[in-house]
Coordinates of all heavy atoms in Angstrom, one line a residue:
A1 N 61.2 93.2 104.4 CA 61.1 92.8 103.0 C 62.1 91.8 102.6 O 62.1 91.2 101.5 CB 61.0 93.9 102.1
G2 N 63.1 91.5 103.5 CA 64.1 90.5 103.3 C 65.4 91.0 102.6 O 66.3 90.2 102.2
F3 N 65.6 92.4 102.6 CA 66.8 92.9 102.0 C 68.0 92.7 102.9 O 67.9 92.8 104.1 CB 66.6 94.4 101.6 CG 65.8 94.6 100.4 CD1 64.5 95.0 100.4 CD2 66.4 94.4 99.1 CE1 63.8 95.2 99.3 CE2 65.7 94.7 98.0 CZ 64.4 95.0 98.0
D4 N 69.1 92.5 102.2 CA 70.4 92.4 102.9 C 71.0 93.8 102.9 O 71.7 94.2 101.9 CB 71.3 91.4 102.2 CG 72.7 91.2 102.9 OD1 72.8 91.6 104.1 OD2 73.6 90.6 102.3
L5 N 70.8 94.6 103.9 CA 71.2 96.0 103.9 C 72.7 96.1 104.2 O 73.3 95.2 104.9 CB 70.5 96.7 105.0 CG 68.9 96.9 104.7 CD1 68.3 97.5 105.9 CD2 68.7 97.6 103.4
P6 N 73.4 97.1 103.7 CA 74.8 97.3 103.9 C 75.1 97.5 105.4 O 74.2 97.9 106.2 CB 75.1 98.6 103.1 CG 74.1 98.6 102.1 CD 72.8 98.0 102.7
E7 N 76.3 97.2 105.8 CA 76.7 97.4 107.2 C 76.6 98.9 107.5 O 76.8 99.8 106.7 CB 78.2 97.0 107.4 CG 78.5 95.5 107.1 CD 77.7 94.6 108.1 OE1 77.5 95.1 109.2 OE2 77.3 93.5 107.7
G8 N 76.2 99.2 108.8 CA 76.1 100.6 109.2 C 74.7 101.1 109.2 O 74.5 102.3 109.3
K9 N 73.7 100.2 109.0 CA 72.4 100.7 108.8 C 71.8 101.2 110.2 O 72.1 100.7 111.2 CB 71.5 99.5 108.4 CG 71.5 98.3 109.3 CD 70.7 97.2 108.7 CE 70.7 95.9 109.6 NZ 72.0 95.4 109.7
Y10 N 71.0 102.2 110.1 CA 70.2 102.7 111.2 C 68.9 102.0 111.2 O 68.1 102.1 110.3 CB 70.0 104.2 111.1 CG 71.2 105.1 111.5 CD1 71.9 105.7 110.5 CD2 71.5 105.3 112.8 CE1 73.0 106.5 110.8 CE2 72.6 106.1 113.1 CZ 73.3 106.7 112.1 OH 74.4 107.5 112.5
I11 N 68.6 101.2 112.2 CA 67.3 100.5 112.3 C 66.9 100.4 113.8 O 67.7 100.1 114.6 CB 67.5 99.1 111.6 CG1 66.1 98.4 111.5 CG2 68.5 98.2 112.3 CD1 66.1 97.2 110.6
N12 N 65.7 100.6 114.0 CA 65.1 100.5 115.3 C 63.6 100.2 115.2 O 62.8 101.1 114.7 CB 65.3 101.8 116.1 CG 64.9 101.6 117.6 OD1 64.0 100.8 117.9 ND2 65.5 102.4 118.5
P13 N 63.2 99.0 115.5 CA 61.7 98.6 115.4 C 60.8 99.6 116.1 O 59.6 99.7 115.7 CB 61.7 97.2 116.0 CG 63.1 96.7 115.8 CD 64.0 97.8 116.0
A14 N 61.3 100.3 117.1 CA 60.4 101.2 117.8 C 59.9 102.3 116.9 O 58.9 103.0 117.2 CB 61.2 101.8 119.0
Y15 N 60.7 102.6 115.9 CA 60.3 103.7 115.0 C 59.5 103.2 113.8 O 59.2 104.0 112.9 CB 61.6 104.4 114.4 CG 62.4 105.0 115.5 CD1 63.8 105.0 115.4 CD2 61.9 105.6 116.6 CE1 64.6 105.6 116.4 CE2 62.7 106.2 117.6 CZ 64.0 106.2 117.5 OH 64.8 106.7 118.4
S16 N 59.1 101.9 113.8 CA 58.4 101.4 112.7 C 57.0 102.1 112.5 O 56.3 102.3 113.5 CB 58.1 99.9 112.9 OG 57.3 99.3 111.8
G17 N 56.7 102.5 111.3 CA 55.5 103.2 111.0 C 55.5 104.7 111.2 O 54.5 105.4 110.8
M18 N 56.6 105.2 111.8 CA 56.7 106.7 112.0 C 57.2 107.4 110.7 O 58.0 106.8 110.0 CB 57.6 107.0 113.2 CG 57.1 106.5 114.5 SD 58.2 107.0 115.8 CE 57.5 106.1 117.2
T19 N 56.8 108.6 110.5 CA 57.3 109.4 109.5 C 58.7 109.9 109.9 O 59.1 109.9 111.0 CB 56.4 110.6 109.2 OG1 56.4 111.5 110.3 CG2 55.0 110.2 108.8
A20 N 59.5 110.3 108.9 CA 60.8 110.9 109.1 C 60.7 112.1 110.0 O 61.5 112.4 110.9 CB 61.5 111.2 107.8
E21 N 59.7 112.9 109.8 CA 59.5 114.1 110.5 C 59.3 113.8 112.0 O 59.8 114.5 112.9 CB 58.3 114.9 110.0 CG 58.6 115.7 108.7 CD 58.4 114.8 107.5 OE1 58.1 113.6 107.6 OE2 58.5 115.3 106.4
H22 N 58.5 112.8 112.3 CA 58.2 112.4 113.7 C 59.5 111.9 114.3 O 59.8 112.3 115.5 CB 57.1 111.4 113.7 CG 56.7 111.0 115.1 ND1 55.8 110.0 115.4 CD2 57.0 111.5 116.3 CE1 55.6 109.9 116.7 NE2 56.4 110.8 117.3
I23 N 60.2 111.0 113.6 CA 61.4 110.4 114.2 C 62.5 111.5 114.5 O 63.2 111.5 115.5 CB 62.0 109.4 113.2 CG1 61.0 108.2 113.1 CG2 63.4 108.9 113.7 CD1 61.4 107.2 112.0
Y24 N 62.5 112.5 113.6 CA 63.5 113.6 113.7 C 63.3 114.3 115.1 O 64.2 114.8 115.7 CB 63.3 114.6 112.6 CG 64.2 115.8 112.6 CD1 65.4 115.7 111.9 CD2 64.0 117.0 113.3 CE1 66.3 116.7 111.9 CE2 64.8 118.0 113.2 CZ 66.0 117.9 112.5 OH 66.9 119.0 112.5
T25 N 62.0 114.4 115.5 CA 61.8 115.2 116.8 C 62.1 114.4 118.0 O 62.2 115.0 119.1 CB 60.3 115.5 116.9 OG1 59.5 114.3 117.0 CG2 59.8 116.3 115.7
I26 N 62.3 113.0 117.9 CA 62.5 112.2 119.1 C 63.9 111.6 119.2 O 64.3 111.1 120.3 CB 61.5 111.1 119.2 CG1 61.5 110.2 118.0 CG2 60.1 111.7 119.4 CD1 60.5 109.0 118.1
I27 N 64.7 111.7 118.1 CA 66.1 111.2 118.3 C 67.0 112.3 118.8 O 66.7 113.5 118.5 CB 66.6 110.6 116.9 CG1 66.6 111.7 115.8 CG2 65.8 109.4 116.5 CD1 67.2 111.2 114.5
P28 N 68.1 112.0 119.5 CA 69.0 113.0 120.0 C 69.7 113.8 118.9 O 69.8 113.3 117.8 CB 69.9 112.2 120.9 CG 69.3 110.9 121.1 CD 68.4 110.6 119.9
D29 N 70.1 115.0 119.3 CA 70.8 115.8 118.3 C 72.3 115.4 118.1 O 72.8 115.5 117.1 CB 70.8 117.3 118.8 CG 69.4 117.9 118.7 OD1 68.6 117.5 117.9 OD2 69.2 118.8 119.6
D30 N 72.9 114.8 119.2 CA 74.3 114.4 119.1 C 74.5 113.3 118.1 O 73.9 112.2 118.2 CB 74.7 113.9 120.5 CG 76.2 113.6 120.5 OD1 76.9 113.7 119.5 OD2 76.7 113.4 121.6
P31 N 75.3 113.5 117.1 CA 75.5 112.4 116.1 C 76.2 111.1 116.7 O 76.1 110.1 116.1 CB 76.5 113.0 115.0 CG 77.1 114.1 115.8 CD 76.1 114.6 116.8
D32 N 76.8 111.2 117.9 CA 77.3 110.0 118.5 C 76.4 109.6 119.7 O 76.9 109.2 120.7 CB 78.7 110.4 119.1 CG 79.7 110.8 118.0 OD1 79.6 110.2 116.9 OD2 80.5 111.7 118.2
D33 N 75.1 109.5 119.4 CA 74.1 109.3 120.4 C 73.7 107.8 120.6 O 72.7 107.5 121.2 CB 72.9 110.1 120.2 CG 72.2 109.7 118.8 OD1 71.9 108.6 118.7 OD2 72.2 110.6 118.0
N34 N 74.5 106.9 120.0 CA 74.1 105.5 119.9 C 72.9 105.3 119.1 O 72.1 104.3 119.3 CB 73.9 104.9 121.3 CG 75.2 104.8 122.1 OD1 76.2 104.5 121.6 ND2 75.1 105.0 123.4
N35 N 72.6 106.2 118.2 CA 71.6 106.1 117.2 C 70.2 105.9 117.7 O 69.4 105.1 117.2 CB 71.9 104.9 116.3 CG 73.3 104.9 115.8 OD1 73.7 106.0 115.3 ND2 74.1 103.9 116.0
G36 N 69.9 106.6 118.8 CA 68.5 106.6 119.3 C 68.1 105.2 119.8 O 66.9 104.9 119.9
G37 N 69.0 104.4 120.2 CA 68.7 103.1 120.8 C 68.7 102.0 119.7 O 68.4 100.9 120.1
G38 N 69.0 102.3 118.5 CA 69.0 101.3 117.5 C 70.4 100.7 117.3 O 71.3 100.8 118.2
Q39 N 70.6 100.0 116.2 CA 71.9 99.4 116.0 C 72.9 100.5 115.6 O 72.6 101.5 114.9 CB 71.9 98.4 114.8 CG 71.0 97.2 115.1 CD 70.9 96.3 113.9 OE1 71.7 96.4 113.0 NE2 70.0 95.3 114.0

């Protein structure tokens, strides 16, 4: 949508269109996991 998001954003186009519940089941549990392949 063109927003200038703050630094530190979690974003990964692979998760586009997924619900938070779905994403929760596929991202690693470790908080230092490189963010599931995103930024």
Side-chain angles (χ1 to χ4, degrees):
F3 280 102
D4 183 13
L5 296 175
E7 299 296 330
K9 60 184 178 296
Y10 282 102
I11 185 168
N12 188 335
Y15 299 146
S16 179
M18 296 183 186
T19 65
E21 285 84 354
H22 185 187
I23 297 171
Y24 184 91
T25 65
I26 59 179
I27 59 176
D29 291 332
D30 185 354
D32 299 320
D33 59 61
N34 292 327
N35 311 310
Q39 296 179 11

